[in-house]
């Protein structure tokens, strides 16, 4: 069996290598988003506004639970990338087997949590009674697919950590096509509504997990080749993953908790606003998938080059990535602002929903640029093993301040725009702190010293 194809990000042109690694991640994230976007398009056009609002209302809760594990995945990705950059195949072997066992266990836990807490959490978020049953039903079915979703997420982190960002793209294209076909069959043909949308998503997640695991299992002779007898939790590897992954998970959790407060605030404005916010999230995801993909790219780039002790190349990579992120963000902002109504009418023909949504776009899209430094600098720091300060900045000056704004400002001026302003205010402050820490924080020397000590301990 042929080995997975890798991008050598330790040598050559930094812009070229970052771009070659970024593009498959971007397209992969795009096709992954098609899971929910297909649900939204077909539900909005074939079922109606209430069903559209029900699917949209589940987003913050899903993102909270899934985001916890994605943070752990990032920890596994960093330790594997550093070991791969240091040319330590034995460490990679142990890390990969530990990561997959961890993913299956956490997937099972998330399934149980999702099934038990679906309806109570929707009530806690203030979901209107007319959409509560559909929202809870969607969640219960969605969480049945947690184990394959977690295995897929961990598998893609493993592949990307060793430089393969292409095959996860191919697997997601196949899974997205499965999702779209099943959406049409289950919703437009069978008339299963919200239940059909959830079933289509779960089955497509199973497809992506099967393809990813088949790729890893079939990589005979490579350090990431899976063998059943080696599948166990190695304590030292688990600790290393948690050292980076737990703060990342906590950061993700705080992001999503703050977004749940945002959703709760939006719920207070009625069904049209809930539906508009759900649609905005599908459009807005083009920006997020671009910035997040650059964050993943710079994390892996920094991790491998840091493991190879190419510290100056890490810094040059960060500068290139910041320039790429700023340019793409400006293009996205300009496009979204000017095509707001056209984009919204792709998802809904309800004039009230479109009117609210266009207002959202005009408030938020011009301020996307204030977020760029947070994602890129946090990704680079994480790739080098520095997670404590970036987590503190994010938790307190993005998430905490955002919730404080919602508690204080929104009751005083109860408008959708007031809720939305929580984003640029917190992004701007956190970006300034990230820049200050990156330039003056002395983080590279601390990370390098810690890495050398860990390598000496392994050698002993």
């Amino acid at each position: 069996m042929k080995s997975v194809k890798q991008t050598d990000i330790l040598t050559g042109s930094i812009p070229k290598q970052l771009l070659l690694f970024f593009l498959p991640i971007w397209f992969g994230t795009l096709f992954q988003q098609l899971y929910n976007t297909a649900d939204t398009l077909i539900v909005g056009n074939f079922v109606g506004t209430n069903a559209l609002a029900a699917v949209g209302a589940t987003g913050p809760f899903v993102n909270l639970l899934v985001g916890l594990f994605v943070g752990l995945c990032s920890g596994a990705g960093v330790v594997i990338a550093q070991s791969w950059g240091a040319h330590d195949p034995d460490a990679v072997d142990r890390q990969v087997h530990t990561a997959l066992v961890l993913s299956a266990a956490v997937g099972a836990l998330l399934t149980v949590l999702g099934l038990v807490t679906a309806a109570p959490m929707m009530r806690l978020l203030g979901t209107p009674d007319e959409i509560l049953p559909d929202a809870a039903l969607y969640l219960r079915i969605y969480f049945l697919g947690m184990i394959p979703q977690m295995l897929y997420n961990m598998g893609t982190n493993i592949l990307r950590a060793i430089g393969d960002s292409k095959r996860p793209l191919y697997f997601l294209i196949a899974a997205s096509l499965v999702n779209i076909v099943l959406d049409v069959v289950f919703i437009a043909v069978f008339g299963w509504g919200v239940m059909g949308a959830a079933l289509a998503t779960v089955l497509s997640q199973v497809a992506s997990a099967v393809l990813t695991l088949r790729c890893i299992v079939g990589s005979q002779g490579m350090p990431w080749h899976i063998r059943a007898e080696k599948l166990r939790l190695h304590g030292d590897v688990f600790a290393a993953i948690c050292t980076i992954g737990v703060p990342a998970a906590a950061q993700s959790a705080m992001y999503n908790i703050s977004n749940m407060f945002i959703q709760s605030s939006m719920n207070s404005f009625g069904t049209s606003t809930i539906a508009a916010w759900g649609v905005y999230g599908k459009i807005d995801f083009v920006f997020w998938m671009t910035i997040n993909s650059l964050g993943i790219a710079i994390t892996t780039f920094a991790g491998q080059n840091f493991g190879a002790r190419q510290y100056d190349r890490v810094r040059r990579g960060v500068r290139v990535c910041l320039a790429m992120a700023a340019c793409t963000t400006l293009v996205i902002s300009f496009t979204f602002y000017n095509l707001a109504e056209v984009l919204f009418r792709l998802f809904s023909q309800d004039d009230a929903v479109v009117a609210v949504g266009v207002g959202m776009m005009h408030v938020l899209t011009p301020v996307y640029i204030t977020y760029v430094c947070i994602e890129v600098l946090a990704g680079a720091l994480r790739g080098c093993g520095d997670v404590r300060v970036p987590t503190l900045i994010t938790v307190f000056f993005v998430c905490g301040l955002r919730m404080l704004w919602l508690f204080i400002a929104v009751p005083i001026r109860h408008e959708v725009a007031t809720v939305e302003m929580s984003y640029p205010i917190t992004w701007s402050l956190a970006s300034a702190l990230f820049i200050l820490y990156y330039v003056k924080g002395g983080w590279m020397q601390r990370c390098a010293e810690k890495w050398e000590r860990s390598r000496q301990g392994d050698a002993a």
Side-chain angles (χ1 to χ4, degrees):
M1 178 87 53
K2 292 175 67 176
S3 167
V4 292
K5 298 178 181 178
Q6 299 162 237
T7 298
D8 183 4
I9 54 181
L10 297 176
T11 60
S13 165
I14 291 176
K16 179 181 177 180
Q17 296 303 333
L18 273 175
L19 189 62
L20 288 174
F21 198 73
F22 157 76
L23 286 175
I25 298 173
W26 188 89
F27 280 108
T29 309
L30 171 64
F31 281 102
Q32 187 171 31
Q33 179 61 11
L34 286 178
Y35 286 170
N36 289 329
T37 301
D39 293 344
T40 305
L41 281 168
I42 297 172
V43 168
N45 286 283
F46 286 92
V47 186
T49 298
N50 278 5
L52 179 65
V55 173
T58 65
F61 181 51
V62 169
N63 292 335
L64 170 63
L65 291 186
V66 174
L68 287 170
F69 180 74
V70 170
L72 285 176
C73 285
S74 71
V78 168
V79 298
I80 293 169
Q82 290 180 347
S83 296
W84 185 248
H87 305 293
D88 189 347
D90 291 336
V92 172
D93 179 85
R94 296 168 67 247
Q95 291 158 358
V96 166
H97 284 85
T98 297
L100 288 177
V101 171
L102 179 62
S103 64
V106 175
L109 177 62
L110 288 179
T111 298
V112 175
L113 284 174
L115 292 173
V116 171
T117 61
M121 186 56 66
M122 288 296 96
R123 292 191 189 95
L124 182 64
L125 287 173
T127 306
D129 290 339
E130 64 266 25
I131 65 173
L132 179 60
D134 277 345
L137 175 63
Y138 184 90
L139 276 179
R140 291 191 185 100
I141 297 173
Y142 181 89
F143 277 102
L144 291 175
M146 279 298 99
I147 292 178
Q149 184 174 351
M150 296 303 100
L151 287 170
Y152 164 75
N153 277 305
M154 186 62 84
T156 56
N157 270 270
I158 292 169
L159 293 173
R160 288 168 180 163
I162 53 89
D164 178 13
S165 61
K166 292 181 180 179
R167 294 205 184 187
L169 166 62
Y170 303 152
F171 304 151
L172 271 175
I173 291 174
S176 297
L177 293 175
V178 170
N179 188 83
I180 293 169
V181 170
L182 291 180
D183 265 330
V184 173
V185 173
F186 291 165
I187 299 173
V189 178
F190 292 169
W192 290 353
V194 168
M195 180 182 73
L199 284 172
T201 299
V202 168
L203 292 174
S204 61
Q205 289 168 347
V206 171
S208 63
V210 169
L211 291 169
T212 304
L213 290 176
R214 183 178 178 274
C215 171
I216 298 174
V217 171
S219 300
Q220 284 91 350
M222 304 306 295
W224 55 87
H225 170 55
I226 300 301
R227 292 178 292 279
E229 66 273 14
K230 287 191 165 187
L231 286 171
R232 62 180 180 273
L233 280 175
H234 296 274
D236 58 331
V237 175
F238 179 69
I241 291 173
C242 288
T243 297
I244 296 173
V246 168
Q251 177 177 312
S252 174
M254 285 302 298
Y255 260 124
N256 287 299
I257 288 172
S258 68
N259 287 337
M260 290 171 70
F261 279 94
I262 295 282
Q263 183 69 57
S264 182
S265 295
M266 290 299 182
N267 289 350
S268 68
F269 294 100
T271 300
S272 293
T273 299
I274 297 171
W277 187 243
V279 172
Y280 171 74
K282 305 305 178 186
I283 300 170
D284 175 63
F285 192 79
V286 173
F287 167 69
W288 289 108
M289 73 179 185
T290 301
I291 296 302
N292 289 342
S293 296
L294 285 166
I296 294 169
I298 195 61
T299 297
T300 302
F301 180 93
Q304 283 201 20
N305 282 280
F306 181 83
R309 299 178 175 87
Q310 298 185 157
Y311 306 131
D312 183 62
R313 186 173 171 86
V314 171
R315 290 190 179 277
R316 285 185 284 129
V318 171
R319 291 195 293 270
V320 171
C321 195
L322 281 171
M324 292 169 62
C327 291
T328 53
T329 296
L330 291 174
V331 172
I332 291 170
S333 296
F334 178 82
T335 304
F336 280 6
Y337 189 91
N338 289 286
L339 297 179
E341 183 171 351
V342 173
L343 292 170
F344 255 84
R345 289 200 179 275
L346 292 175
F347 294 88
S348 177
Q349 301 305 313
D350 187 319
D351 289 339
V353 172
V354 172
V356 174
V358 170
M360 292 173 176
M361 297 278 278
H362 285 171
V363 170
L364 288 175
T365 56
V367 297
Y368 283 164
I369 194 68
T370 61
Y371 181 77
V372 166
C373 288
I374 298 174
E375 190 69 28
V376 174
L377 297 183
L381 292 166
R382 187 182 307 116
C384 297
D386 188 345
V387 292
R388 183 174 57 88
V389 172
T391 298
L392 291 174
I393 293 174
T394 302
V395 167
F396 288 104
F397 295 98
V398 177
C399 307
L401 184 59
R402 182 176 299 167
M403 289 187 284
L404 185 64
W405 174 269
L406 295 174
F407 282 127
I408 295 176
V410 175
I412 295 174
R413 192 177 183 88
H414 191 251
E415 297 176 359
V416 172
T418 308
V419 178
E420 293 173 297
M421 286 305 296
S422 64
Y423 287 98
I425 291 171
T426 55
W427 290 343
S428 298
L429 178 58
S431 288
L433 292 172
F434 266 107
I435 293 169
L436 181 64
Y437 179 68
Y438 182 83
V439 174
K440 300 291 186 181
W443 58 275
M444 180 68 83
Q445 182 177 350
R446 290 195 303 274
C447 289
E449 291 171 353
K450 181 179 178 181
W451 172 248
E452 294 299 335
R453 289 195 300 270
S454 71
R455 302 306 297 166
Q456 291 169 7
D458 290 343

